[in-house]
Amino acid sequence: MRSDTGQVFRLEDYRPSDYLIPRTHLAFRLSPENTLVTAELTIERRDGVARNAPLVLDGDELMLKSVRIDGKALDNSAYKATPDQLIIKKPPAGKKFVVSIETSLNPAKNEKLMGLYRSSNVYCTQCEAEGFRRITYFLDRPDILSVYTVRVEADRGEAPLLLANGNPGEKGTLPDGRHYAVWEDPFPKPSYLFALVAGDLGRVGDTFVTASGRNVELGIYVEHGKEARAAYAMDALKRSMRWDEEAFGREYDLDVFNIVAVSDFNMGAMENKGLNLFNDKYVLADEETATDADFANIEAIIAHEYFHNWTGNRITCRDWFQLCLKEGLTVFRDHEFSADQRSRAVKRIAEVRTLRAHQFPEDQGPLAHPVRPRRYREINNFYTATVYEKGSEVVRMIRTILGAELFRAGMDLYFERHDGDAATIEDFLKVFEDVSGRDLSQFALWYHQAGTPNLSVTSSHNPTTAEFTLEIEQSVPPTPSESRKRLMHIPVVFGLVGSDGEDIAYESVEGATVDNGVIHLRKRRHTVRFSGVKARPAVSLNRGFSAPVTLAIEQKPEGHHFLARYDSDLFSRWQSLNTLFTDALISGFRKRRGGKALDYPAELAALVGDIAADDDLEPAYRALALTLPGEADIAREIGTNIDPDCVFEARDALALSIAKTNADRFASLLGRLRNKGEFSPDAASAGRRALKNVLLDYLSVASGDPALAEREFIDATNMTDRAAALTVLAHRFAGSPQTVAALAAFEQRFHSDALVLDKWFQIQAAAPGPASVDTVAALMKHPTFSLANPNRVRSLVGTFATANQTGFHRADGAGYKLFADTVLAVEKRNPQVAARLATALRSWRSLEPTRQGKARQTLLAIAATEGLSADLRDIVERTLA
Ligand code: TRP
Ligand code: ZN
């Protein structure tokens, strides 16, 4: 394990390196336990740097075999090599020289899944962020752009397929059953985008003709026998390529584009130039094995990695502090793509739910950091919801402020001005200032300042003067190491809704800049006065979730009921209903905490029934509307002194009230929605399944009988319906004979399919209640459970810790104990995955005192462990701070 040096990296310390590496030749002689890597680096001294300045190359757990300069072996005293550094003390005085380095690697033993490793006998690489230095010594930083030629040599039987970045070059046969292939990537790239794959895999091929008529060979490589399951990913890839041409004018630039699916992968996927590597979970899908959510994720992630070719690869990051430059922007692009392919309103609601579930708790807890952080100890820990999701929201706000046309002009200028650069957030903001003439300096705080701003809003109406007034006050709560916050520029899309449900026109407005339906807040308080407003309107604020803020708006329940039925903005309609749910659940929680009986307003259940039955709304939208806020969402809104059992009971009771009120309506609707005809993964069909399965859950709650879910499970003809029915059985009827039988049937049918079995683990890990701690502990002893496979660990222990509030936070601390033991066991192999898992305890301070104390003890125990990795120590110490 790389020992934790405690070193902190700071944005202000950035300085260009003394040397550049314009050319990189790599040769790999692959063998499972002893791979030989030869790197021939053309090094160029940067202008103005002293001759003979030492050349310091990065390494990580490397074994140096030899080093030469311009073909000559170096004297032992001329360099210093450790596993994590190679220093050439006095390089040649000339402007250019060639350093040749031989290292030997053991890919079979590489369980960190960074650098070169083996996954199911396939050689593969993962270099972002700092994995390339586990392959050879290099200037492993994103502002060192190099043109790579790569020669891969392996046993032909073991690895008939040899891939690397760029375009294919020469290949040939060698003695002893070996062969080789050369790959050339003409585009200068940072080392984190390097990739190599060698193994025996099946191929799905296709071609794409670009807008300018160039032919691109597309390949998706998967385990033999699973080729048919890559069809949807291929379709998504071609749609992504076309969309980027149409929406952003971006064409693909190499002759080939390859995707490889592997089953051991630290994250979702990786955008290596011309050779994307994917967690197979985000490639493989068919109706038998994948849910509609899987199909949607595949579409989004295929698009995301493809879009990185321009936003990330052609224009990369100057340093890792600029990570959001590529990630936030690329998430924004994949969101837009999915919105265009599916339903914009439904997509937006799903995005906001994700943002609130993942980014808000980060922003409101001990791990809060700006979208562009200023310091880090371990960069792997900054691939966060803040960098990705909030980073995307910031780009969306730029478009809201500028309008679609100027936004596109700014993007065009960005590509034109920075193609081939390693750029910064300042570069990005500058193009939008230049095309619009606007000053974005206050807006830039969205990148620099952590924390979720809050808007507190009151309104008043004066019928005699026909004036409607909004008082809006912004505040940004303090976050770690940022106690004083500056005022932000917040674009709030709004509408004043009249009694007929139409937006009313006002005559004039003062108190804030208001243009194109956007209020621009820049000061602490704005008194926004609309004139010519005869009757008091309902205020629809932050439509489309134009700004990632929390809203405290003084609005009576009648107002929310009205907006939930009539707001012309579908997102805001959903938001109003969600607010009604949340308010009801919070008061339910308080009653439960106070030992009082739970009751919910009958109008709320009736409203839900009306929305469910409203055929003018698409089924996917209705499914989202009917989904109650999750237990973690409710806890977040309550804020402090959380007893997860009371949250659970409050939520359960609301579900029962809605279910009982609407049982007849729901039953007839479910009957109409039942699967007829052939399966299609398209958004409309998926929406019908989603609505049907939400109704299945309510009806099961209403009847208290597992028979309906059992029937749906047995009759299911696709994984979406099967997994949904199994979830109802396992979560609502734990231990019932029907549940036991269904779980066994599912296991038996899919035991040899890892991705499907992950769902089986996941469903059980999320089953609420105190007994789930023991269920999870028992499942960790299941013959297919493995600490080495990140998907399996995340499915079982990750799901337990993030999606099972009552189990994980069991009052006696047993859930925490199981969790800590697992985090430490995973850490021994894979610190990156362990550190991410450990973030599940970040909201410990919002728990009631007993659980809070137990959670803290757990964190302290992890922190006290000797020889902790930098990854885990960083998370645990920040969480405790
Ligand atoms: N850049 C990748 C993406 O956004 C994510 C990524 C970062 C990653 N580090 C990784 C993937 C390590 C796998 C392993 O798509
Ligand atoms: Zn990305």
Side-chain angles (χ1 to χ4, degrees):
M1 205 176 293
R2 177 149 45 132
S3 57
D4 174 24
T5 58
Q7 192 178 353
V8 175
F9 298 89
R10 291 187 168 75
L11 170 62
E12 65 264 29
D13 292 343
Y14 174 82
R15 161 180 111 74
S17 64
D18 288 350
Y19 291 94
L20 303 171
I21 311 181
R23 292 276 313 172
T24 299
H25 285 266
L26 298 172
F28 289 81
R29 235 176 59 206
L30 293 171
S31 146
E33 273 153 30
N34 188 10
T35 287
L36 193 71
V37 183
T38 310
E40 228 178 77
L41 313 177
T42 301
I43 308 270
E44 189 181 317
R45 184 160 43 81
R46 198 190 283 272
D47 288 332
V49 171
R51 285 158 199 267
N52 309 120
L55 172 64
V56 183
L57 302 176
D58 307 299
D60 180 15
E61 297 185 319
L62 283 179
M63 249 268 285
L64 180 68
K65 302 270 288 185
S66 73
V67 52
R68 287 183 235 247
I69 293 187
D70 293 329
K72 284 200 286 294
L74 282 194
D75 208 70
N76 271 346
S77 62
Y79 67 92
K80 181 168 176 258
T82 65
D84 45 41
Q85 219 169 42
L86 174 61
I87 305 179
I88 314 272
K89 295 178 186 165
K90 201 175 168 218
K95 188 91 180 135
K96 270 194 186 181
F97 51 96
V98 175
V99 177
S100 307
I101 299 165
E102 278 187 310
T103 49
S104 71
L105 313 176
N106 185 345
K109 281 251 159 61
N110 182 0
E111 290 195 294
K112 288 184 180 166
L113 315 185
M114 292 295 287
L116 177 70
Y117 66 95
R118 300 260 286 174
S119 175
S120 307
N121 297 325
V122 176
Y123 296 92
C124 61
T125 55
Q126 172 55 42
C127 293
E128 188 176 3
E130 296 177 337
F132 190 73
R133 62 184 66 182
R134 295 169 59 78
I135 294 173
T136 190
Y137 293 99
F138 203 76
L139 294 172
D140 191 15
R141 42 187 284 172
D143 61 345
I144 294 293
L145 306 186
S146 190
V147 173
Y148 287 67
T149 301
V150 180
R151 182 184 186 279
V152 190
E153 183 201 311
D155 180 86
R156 191 194 285 275
E158 186 189 40
L161 174 72
L162 305 173
L163 300 174
N165 312 93
N167 294 320
E170 184 200 332
K171 46 181 150 185
T173 304
L174 296 165
D176 302 324
R178 294 182 72 81
H179 70 150
Y180 72 94
V182 177
W183 288 81
E184 281 161 14
D185 183 357
F187 294 93
K189 66 168 174 289
S191 50
Y192 80 85
L193 291 175
F194 167 79
L196 165 162
V197 170
D200 189 0
L201 291 167
R203 176 176 200 270
V204 177
D206 210 325
T207 57
F208 180 84
V209 184
T210 69
S212 71
R214 291 193 26 257
N215 249 7
V216 184
E217 285 295 323
L218 310 178
I220 300 186
Y221 296 87
V222 299
E223 216 173 89
H224 284 294
K226 295 199 171 154
E227 291 84 352
R229 288 198 213 177
Y232 185 78
M234 182 62 89
D235 179 58
L237 173 61
K238 289 188 290 181
R239 286 186 280 123
S240 305
M241 296 177 86
R242 193 61 76 210
W243 186 88
D244 212 13
E245 295 180 342
E246 288 163 359
F248 283 95
R250 296 298 109 197
E251 216 176 300
Y252 188 61
D253 50 11
L254 289 166
D255 303 337
V256 300
F257 186 76
N258 287 319
I259 289 175
V260 179
V262 299
S263 43
D264 302 279
F265 207 67
N266 280 354
M267 307 244 235
M270 180 63 212
E271 69 263 24
N272 316 300
K273 183 81 187 187
L275 178 56
N276 289 358
L277 258 91
F278 271 65
N279 186 326
D280 57 1
K281 174 180 163 67
Y282 297 119
V283 173
L284 300 172
D286 60 16
E287 63 186 280
E288 254 303 285
T289 56
T291 62
D292 292 324
D294 294 324
F295 281 100
N297 284 335
I298 289 169
E299 179 177 81
I301 297 179
I302 291 273
H304 179 96
E305 306 311 330
Y306 175 73
F307 297 157
H308 266 315
N309 192 54
W310 276 94
T311 50
N313 300 3
R314 293 281 291 248
I315 305 178
T316 193
C317 303
R318 185 192 74 173
D319 53 65
W320 292 121
F321 296 100
Q322 320 296 329
L323 185 57
C324 61
L325 178 73
K326 73 178 179 81
E327 295 305 347
L329 176 56
T330 304
V331 169
F332 172 75
R333 277 150 54 70
D334 84 58
H335 283 177
E336 283 299 295
F337 168 73
S338 294
D340 282 348
Q341 304 289 309
R342 291 166 179 253
S343 152
R344 195 158 269 275
V346 168
K347 175 65 182 152
R348 189 62 186 143
I349 294 165
E351 283 161 18
V352 172
R353 285 181 53 139
T354 307
L355 186 81
R356 287 188 177 138
H358 300 287
Q359 201 276 327
F360 277 22
E362 190 166 87
D363 230 357
Q364 295 163 12
L367 301 179
H369 55 274
V371 172
R372 189 179 71 184
R374 275 179 297 278
R375 47 198 22 63
Y376 62 76
R377 278 173 73 177
E378 175 50 66
I379 189 58
N380 287 332
N381 290 337
F382 281 81
Y383 288 77
T384 60
T386 297
V387 169
Y388 276 66
E389 317 301 327
K390 189 175 180 181
S392 163
E393 294 301 321
V394 177
V395 177
R396 176 178 296 274
M397 284 189 284
I398 296 176
R399 188 182 60 179
T400 301
I401 291 170
L402 264 61
E405 261 176 52
L406 278 175
F407 176 75
R408 173 65 198 271
M411 286 301 298
D412 289 347
L413 180 58
Y414 178 62
F415 293 124
E416 185 188 311
R417 189 181 279 173
H418 294 292
D419 188 11
D421 286 354
T424 62
I425 284 302
E426 283 73 16
D427 295 329
F428 184 66
L429 283 168
K430 184 78 165 54
V431 297
F432 296 107
E433 292 193 319
D434 288 356
V435 295
S436 69
R438 279 181 188 255
D439 174 2
L440 295 178
S441 50
Q442 188 185 9
F443 179 81
L445 280 176
W446 282 104
Y447 282 108
H448 308 321
Q449 188 163 273
T452 310
N454 178 259
L455 299 180
S456 122
V457 185
T458 59
S459 63
S460 58
H461 181 249
N462 183 336
T464 12
T465 57
E467 252 187 8
F468 181 68
T469 308
L470 286 175
E471 298 269 357
I472 310 180
E473 182 169 337
Q474 66 161 292
S475 60
V476 187
T479 53
S481 75
E482 286 180 11
S483 49
R484 313 227 353 236
K485 301 287 185 178
R486 288 191 281 160
L487 294 169
M488 308 188 62
H489 175 187
I490 304 175
V492 181
V493 175
F494 76 105
L496 305 180
V497 186
S499 56
D500 58 355
E502 301 284 319
D503 282 11
I504 59 161
Y506 51 87
E507 276 162 17
S508 65
V509 56
E510 55 182 61
T513 311
V514 177
D515 62 44
N516 279 319
V518 186
I519 306 176
H520 294 268
L521 305 174
R522 294 172 173 277
K523 301 186 292 181
R524 180 168 312 283
R525 283 176 138 270
H526 287 264
T527 303
V528 190
R529 251 190 214 96
F530 299 90
S531 63
V533 181
K534 293 197 190 76
R536 184 184 184 106
V539 209
S540 173
L541 267 194
N542 212 23
R543 282 182 163 172
F545 206 63
S546 59
V549 300
T550 54
L551 263 186
I553 177 162
E554 180 199 78
Q555 181 113 270
K556 299 213 175 76
E558 305 89 85
H560 289 303
H561 272 268
F562 176 76
L563 290 172
R565 287 181 193 268
Y566 301 115
D567 199 327
S568 60
D569 182 85
L570 276 176
F571 171 83
S572 291
R573 273 184 81 175
W574 171 83
Q575 181 57 66
S576 294
L577 180 59
N578 201 259
T579 304
L580 287 167
F581 282 152
T582 303
D583 292 349
L585 289 162
I586 292 175
S587 82
F589 169 83
R590 299 215 192 289
K591 283 184 195 150
R592 196 62 205 74
R593 272 294 255 174
K596 285 191 237 140
L598 286 168
D599 59 336
Y600 288 106
E603 309 85 71
L604 182 53
L607 172 63
V608 175
D610 290 346
I611 290 175
D614 184 347
D615 285 332
D616 290 341
L617 295 168
E618 35 180 352
Y621 179 90
R622 287 185 266 163
L624 282 174
L626 263 62
T627 305
L628 296 180
E631 292 153 59
D633 296 314
I634 303 162
R636 188 186 65 246
E637 295 293 334
I638 297 168
T640 53
N641 208 10
I642 303 300
D643 176 339
D645 294 334
C646 293
V647 173
F648 179 84
E649 286 159 25
R651 185 176 187 272
D652 215 37
L654 180 56
L656 184 64
S657 140
I658 293 170
K660 285 238 145 98
T661 307
N662 298 294
D664 294 342
R665 265 175 141 176
F666 285 180
S668 78
L669 189 51
L670 183 138
R672 283 202 279 132
L673 287 162
R674 264 213 192 80
N675 175 43
K676 298 176 200 89
E678 244 179 71
F679 179 89
S680 159
D682 71 87
S685 313
R688 283 192 293 277
R689 284 187 287 272
L691 181 54
K692 190 213 80 175
N693 289 324
V694 173
L695 296 172
L696 168 65
D697 189 51
Y698 276 116
L699 287 165
S700 302
V701 168
S703 69
D705 184 343
L708 182 62
E710 182 195 30
R711 192 72 262 145
E712 294 292 320
F713 179 78
I714 291 168
D715 290 350
T717 56
N718 59 70
M719 184 51 73
T720 302
D721 291 338
R722 189 176 293 122
L726 186 61
T727 302
V728 174
L729 288 169
H731 292 195
R732 304 271 184 205
F733 306 100
S736 75
Q738 293 90 333
T739 302
V740 173
L743 282 168
F746 191 98
E747 182 191 10
Q748 210 201 344
R749 178 161 176 183
F750 298 107
H751 67 271
S752 57
D753 190 319
L755 293 177
V756 186
L757 208 59
D758 282 341
K759 299 182 196 304
W760 182 80
F761 279 104
Q762 220 172 316
I763 288 168
Q764 295 179 83
S772 57
V773 180
D774 309 305
T775 311
V776 172
L779 286 170
M780 287 182 71
K781 302 212 165 71
H782 191 274
T784 65
F785 184 79
S786 160
L787 287 172
N789 178 250
N791 284 357
R792 192 51 51 90
V793 170
R794 287 186 286 246
S795 294
L796 185 58
V797 189
T799 300
F800 173 67
T802 57
N804 190 338
Q805 301 296 303
T806 47
F808 179 52
H809 299 290
R810 198 167 95 174
D812 65 358
Y816 302 149
K817 173 82 174 70
L818 176 71
F819 167 78
D821 292 348
T822 312
V823 166
L824 289 170
V826 172
E827 195 220 14
K828 295 205 176 76
R829 304 160 187 266
N830 192 329
Q832 197 180 331
V833 168
R836 186 159 293 251
L837 200 58
T839 63
L841 264 181
R842 65 187 170 196
S843 301
W844 66 279
R845 277 200 181 83
S846 59
L847 293 161
E848 51 78 23
T850 308
R851 287 176 173 87
Q852 194 179 126
K854 296 211 149 83
R856 183 164 171 273
Q857 289 309 319
T858 307
L859 286 161
L860 287 170
I862 297 177
T865 310
E866 256 177 66
L868 227 50
S869 62
D871 306 59
L872 188 54
R873 181 161 298 286
D874 173 41
I875 293 293
V876 173
E877 287 185 357
R878 278 193 286 142
T879 303
L880 278 164

